Amino acid sequence: MRQNKFTFLLLPLLFLLNTQEASAYPDFIGYGYSSCITCHYNGLGGGALNDYGRALFATEITARDVYSKRTEEETIAAQSGFLGSTQLPWWIRPGLKYRGLWYQTNPGSNQKMEKWINMQEDINMNFFADKKQTVALITTASYADQYPPHAEVKQWQMYMKEYYLRYKWNNNLWIYAGQMDKAFGIRNADHTAVNRSINRTSLLGQFDQSLGATVHFTYPTWDVAANVFFGNSYEDDPEKQKGLAVSGEYQVFEKFKIGGSAMTSQSDFVKWNMLAFTSRIGLSKGSSILAEIGLKDQTTKASDTNILGTYAWIQSLVNIRRGYNLLSTIEASKSDIKKSSAENLRWSVGTMFFPIPRTEIRIMAVNGKTYEDGSGQYDSWMLQSQLHVSY
């Protein structure tokens, strides 16, 4: 069995090394920005944008259709702050984020169902001890409506989703301590993607931040982060996943990065060992291909049962013109590669637009298939529309 596991560990690596294939997203490597620390307060990506990230988003990513031709890019950049062009004190940078999703299942049939979900309702408050931002306190308070993310969080109340201290040792070494996302894989914005919703046991989901510490080394051609974590503060201690994660990337050449992540984690009930290989490549300006392939080894302690699953996620972004993009994602997963088990395939295709400042609109069609020995299922279809507003 050890030999079989080793074989499956090598297969994704061989694929990535032989393939020819980046809020700011990992897809934006297509604009030449391959390091997350350029635009985010967190060097591993995700969370609030810094001042440079806000200006960049306004002047390169977002369409300028609402501006006259005489409006200079410097003017647009200056208006990207929280209060527009009004300067805030150097020691504070607030932010607001909202993301809502409308979806319809079984479109065109009498069994169709539609719903609107408020996915993200965040307030960012970031504080700095000095003008160079050597020491920073990064916080995100989130609103829980009718779907609280944890049992200890009540409906219709604010709670602290993320809070950590960031210390800049020098330009190449950053240290983080507090509750934050774990250092693993590509942090794409779609929390339902197969590489982010790998399981429901507090690892990589939208609300699965964890108390811990991260040391991040970042250089022009490579970066490595090591993250020790102890579980989410809102979870009961027996449920907390505690462990270690390591993640890194290497720039093969400009706009082409390969990387890997490893994680070992366990609670009183479940133990996980995970491995992922990643690739990000920028094509023409604004266009990119991202890929993540991984293994997930799960052991349920009470029954001493083990499952070795695998997943693959590939996303392409094609820039039509400034602010307007085509987005396509292919996702595949198998529950247990050691025996006959369900295989899932999902293909999403649609658009991702940034038509006006601070606004993102996505319109997607999603097709899902499930294959299982001795049985078959009809394809599932879903229409999605997403609105993201960020201040």
Side-chain angles (χ1 to χ4, degrees), residues 19 131 198 379 385 391:
T19 187
K131 290 185 177 182
I198 292 171
D379 286 14
S385 181
Y391 274 82

Side-chain angles (χ1 to χ4, degrees), residues 50-156:
N50 57 32
D51 290 350
Y52 183 81
R54 284 175 172 268
L56 176 68
F57 200 89
T59 58
E60 281 207 67
I61 312 301
T62 304
R64 56 168 296 152
D65 299 339
V66 296
Y67 295 99
S68 70
K69 293 182 178 180
R70 296 190 301 273
T71 305
E72 297 183 353
E73 297 294 349
E74 290 79 4
T75 302
I76 298 175
Q79 296 173 352
S80 65
F82 181 72
L83 296 179
S85 57
T86 301
Q87 289 290 323
L88 292 172
W90 59 263
W91 55 269
I92 186 170
R93 287 295 183 269
L96 299 173
K97 284 183 179 290
Y98 172 79
R99 190 181 292 270
L101 170 72
W102 171 88
Y103 70 89
Q104 183 183 92
T105 59
N106 304 308
S109 74
N110 53 14
Q111 278 128 11
K112 70 178 180 181
M113 182 190 74
E114 59 184 58
K115 193 172 186 178
W116 179 271
I117 298 176
N118 296 315
M119 298 190 298
Q120 184 179 15
E121 299 164 281
D122 290 350
I123 300 175
N124 304 116
M125 294 296 292
N126 309 304
F127 304 93
F128 309 99
D130 59 284
K131 290 185 177 182
K132 292 184 177 181
Q133 300 185 357
T134 303
V135 179
L137 173 62
I138 310 301
T139 71
T140 300
S142 191
Y143 181 67
D145 48 24
Q146 67 264 43
Y147 305 109
H150 303 285
E152 296 299 316
V153 177
K154 306 303 181 184
Q155 287 183 323
W156 323 113

Side-chain angles (χ1 to χ4, degrees), residues 191-245:
H191 64 272
T192 67
V194 69
N195 61 329
R196 306 314 293 174
S197 60
I198 292 171
N199 54 74
R200 300 298 180 188
T201 55
S202 304
L203 280 184
L204 300 173
Q206 181 184 10
F207 305 106
D208 292 336
Q209 293 76 26
S210 185
L211 291 167
T214 300
V215 178
H216 185 201
F217 296 90
T218 177
Y219 287 84
T221 59
W222 63 272
D223 70 284
V224 174
N227 170 215
V228 58
F229 53 89
F230 309 102
N232 190 283
S233 60
Y234 293 101
E235 295 175 317
D236 293 332
D237 195 64
E239 298 175 341
K240 291 181 178 178
Q241 286 285 328
K242 304 172 184 179
L244 174 69

Side-chain angles (χ1 to χ4, degrees), residues 236-256:
D236 293 332
D237 195 64
E239 298 175 341
K240 291 181 178 178
Q241 286 285 328
K242 304 172 184 179
L244 174 69
V246 179
S247 183
E249 277 191 316
Y250 174 72
Q251 181 172 292
V252 181
F253 50 81
E254 187 180 4
K255 294 188 181 181
F256 179 36

